[in-house]
Amino acid sequence: MSEIALSLKNVTKVFVKDNMQLKAVDNTNLEVEKGELVTFLGPSGCGKTTTLRMVAGFEIPSEGTITFAGKDMTNVPVNQRGIGFVFQNYALFPHMTIYNNVAYGLKARGEKNFTEKVKNALALVGLAGTEDKYPNELSGGEQQRVALARVIVMDPALLLMDEPLSNLDAKLRIHMRTEIRKLQKKLGITCLYVTHDQAEALTVSDRIVVMSRGKVEQVGSPREVYNNPNSAFVADFIGQANIIKCKVIELKEGRITATLPTGNEITARTEQEFKVGDEAILVARPENIIIEDFKEGDIPAQVINSLFVGNHVEYELQLGDTVINANVPHKPDMKIFTDGEKVSLVMDKKTLLYLNH
Ligand SMILES: Nc1ncnc2c1ncn2[C@@H]1O[C@H](COP(=O)(O)OP(=O)(O)OP(=O)(O)O)[C@@H](O)[C@H]1O
Ligand SMILES: [Mg+2]
């Protein structure tokens, strides 16, 4: 049986500023299992931080309830929630040693004999032996590890991370996201994670909550939201997607047939409702499209631009009135089509999906 560590029921947060009401979080419902890492992903201002701040207790919801392991926490003060919070600017105390930085919370909590705990926490983040150093003697990535050690040493019931890697350079970000995920799994700690980097969300999460304008658009595993987005917004936000407007001409069980901007017909799966004559959005990932020499009866497209990027060729293509992208895997002996050339578009049918919004 899975245990629910955290639940948000109808949680709404309204901010009032200059007599204007802003719904930063709009009726969010979510259950997080013990040991799960759930990521909030969405554009700037969609309510990710506000959601985390309500879970932490820095903000009180305008409506709804927040429970930890079945216990109502909605109005419980921050320091009684047993939460660890890692922020974007992880600001260590510069005048304290690494040891004292990590020990700080334990001392404040009145604990004694914590030397082993501090050493263990530093070892867990790969920083054994740095106890006597000062923050300015460590790299950015190492400092972020100290920030992590400082939180996990407290053995929090819930770990909240708000864009913890955004101050690091691209390479270190990729390395640290793997490290964070390994550590989170090893400790079995329940974690809420915020990012607006979709690659980070896909790699660290058990489940992703895609948000837009305060609302939850979709919740699912990384593969679910990537393969079965429920809206064009989600399809476009997670990975790259061609969004092609089509017209429905036939309905079948779990599938529809619609006409592309070129007039060609394509049958593909859908989980949504349509009527004949409706507009349907065909989602086609660039990696699921290839191009070939044009043959009569195929879907015609024209090459606008081609970019050789090593393992694949990125094509920009004109499809009727729509511009789409195709990333065709590269082989040394393959033909690379040139600008202006007329080609046949071949889409991997299994991967195509029709959406109604
Ligand atoms: N204390 C506040 N008072 C008034 N408005 C606020 C307050 N905090 C947040 N907001 C507004 O609520 C909305 C959601 O903000 P939030 O910080 O949750 O977004 P976010 O998804 O974390 O964005 P980002 O990716 O930029 O960090 C924004 O429009 C923001 O301006
Ligand atoms: Mg934020």
Side-chain angles (χ1 to χ4, degrees), residues 289-356:
I289 303 175
I290 57 165
I291 56 174
E292 296 174 344
D293 285 313
F294 181 73
K295 288 193 307 292
E296 216 47 59
D298 285 355
I299 301 166
Q302 194 176 26
V303 176
I304 301 172
N305 192 29
S306 66
L307 272 181
F308 171 62
V309 285
N311 63 351
H312 67 273
V313 181
E314 272 179 36
Y315 286 103
E316 203 180 351
L317 303 160
Q318 190 75 44
L319 180 73
D321 58 3
T322 306
V323 174
I324 65 164
N325 295 290
N327 297 344
V328 181
H330 170 250
K331 304 204 179 58
D333 56 351
M334 78 191 260
K335 174 175 178 184
I336 296 188
F337 293 90
T338 51
D339 303 357
E341 233 176 313
K342 188 176 180 184
V343 293
S344 286
L345 197 72
V346 183
M347 299 194 271
D348 179 358
K349 292 261 175 58
K350 293 191 303 293
T351 64
L352 298 176
L353 177 69
Y354 280 117
L355 297 173
N356 61 14

Side-chain angles (χ1 to χ4, degrees), residues 44-45 47-50 88 162-163 194 196:
S44 188
K48 305 181 294 293
T49 295
T50 305
Q88 175 176 336
D162 193 352
E163 313 235 10
V194 164
H196 53 243

Side-chain angles (χ1 to χ4, degrees), residues 63-83:
E63 286 170 47
T65 51
I66 295 173
T67 56
F68 292 2
K71 192 168 165 229
D72 190 343
M73 287 285 180
T74 317
N75 296 296
V76 171
V78 180
N79 58 4
Q80 290 167 30
R81 292 194 185 200
I83 272 184

